[in-house]
Each structure stands twice: as C-alpha cells, then as structure tokens.
Amino acid sequence: MMNNPTGRLTQGQFSFLPDLSDAEIAAQIDYGLTKGYAWSVEYTDDPHPRNTYWEMFGMPMFDLQDAAGVLLELTQCRKTFPGHYIRLMAFDSTRGVESIAMSFIVNRPPDEPGFGLVRQEAAGRQLRYTVHGQAAARPDAQRS
C-alpha cells in the first residue's frame, strides 16, 4: 500500500509540493510557451484518477505568446468555480508527439475529503477497483 504524506490529491506535476504562487504558475506557463505548447484550463469536482477528462474552461490557447492570457483565463475559472479542482494542461502539437507535455493542479477546494482506491485481482486477470471515502459516498447531486 502506498502512502501519501501530503494527504492531498496528487495528480500531475508538482503534486507533492506546496501550492504554486501565481508568479510560479506564470513561470511554468512561460516555459511551456518557449517550447511552443498550447495551454488550456480545466476544472472538475470529481478528481478520481480514472476521470482523465475534466471540463475545459474556455478554448485551448494556441498561438499565445504571453503567460498573461493563460493567467487571465485561470483567474476567470477560479472566480466561476472556486470550490473545484483546476489544472493547467500544456499540449505539444509537434508531429509525432501530439500529446500533453505538462499538467498541474493550480486550485483546490477548501476541503479535500479524499478517497481510497482498493484494487482487487479477479479471475481471468481482471482487475476490479472499489472507491472508499467521503468523496465516493457523496452523490452527484451534492457536488458543488
């Protein structure tokens, strides 16, 4: 069994570090822009590891030259969804790569109830997963 010393959701880069400041976020965006990455802002209230498709806030930002545009979109997303997880995604459109190159959480809800994921091996090499914890017990209608 793996243990998470932070007690927080750990997905993407920088997960075990303290939350990034806006200046540190801007530095990461600038790095991605120098590599030619397109940025997008995504949010969710269901950060389950198998929920890889979060909701996109706005449109992907292709041909952007300045981190201020991404930060403006991030600020709007934070205002609209203050109690959600928000992440930034950098897409590398280089032929042959065409994939996400960077992904990190930039906003968390004030209360992270967490969950546990139990893996069970079944007949025929099947894997079954059971989610335990407060977040798993909360019906969709009660999500913010």
Side-chain angles (χ1 to χ4, degrees):
M1 179 171 142
M2 295 183 65
N3 191 7
N4 176 355
T6 65
R8 297 171 8 143
L9 178 72
T10 54
Q11 292 183 17
Q13 298 163 288
F14 318 121
S15 291
F16 287 98
L17 298 175
D19 291 337
L20 299 177
S21 69
D22 283 353
E24 291 168 326
I25 293 169
Q28 295 302 318
I29 295 168
D30 281 332
Y31 170 80
L33 290 174
T34 63
K35 298 286 189 182
Y37 300 158
W39 287 93
S40 63
V41 178
E42 297 183 346
Y43 65 95
T44 190
D45 65 346
D46 180 15
H48 188 283
R50 290 185 175 253
N51 178 19
T52 57
Y53 298 106
W54 292 20
E55 300 293 327
M56 187 176 292
F57 188 85
M59 300 298 290
M61 293 166 261
F62 293 97
D63 301 324
L64 204 60
Q65 303 297 319
D66 187 359
V70 181
L71 288 173
L72 179 65
E73 198 79 1
L74 172 58
T75 300
Q76 292 302 316
C77 188
R78 283 176 170 163
K79 286 179 184 176
T80 307
F81 300 102
H84 285 62
Y85 290 92
I86 300 173
R87 72 179 174 193
L88 293 180
M89 305 276 280
F91 180 77
D92 182 356
S93 62
T94 305
R95 185 172 175 84
V97 176
E98 300 168 330
S99 184
I100 297 298
M102 297 175 71
S103 170
F104 52 95
I105 294 174
V106 294
N107 195 75
R108 297 170 181 274
D111 176 39
E112 289 190 80
F115 57 86
L117 187 63
V118 177
R119 184 177 112 168
Q120 301 163 338
E121 295 184 20
R125 299 183 65 164
Q126 293 181 358
L127 295 177
R128 294 190 179 132
Y129 295 91
T130 306
V131 179
H132 299 279
Q134 294 175 355
R138 194 172 40 155
D140 287 345
Q142 292 179 358
R143 292 186 177 155
S144 53

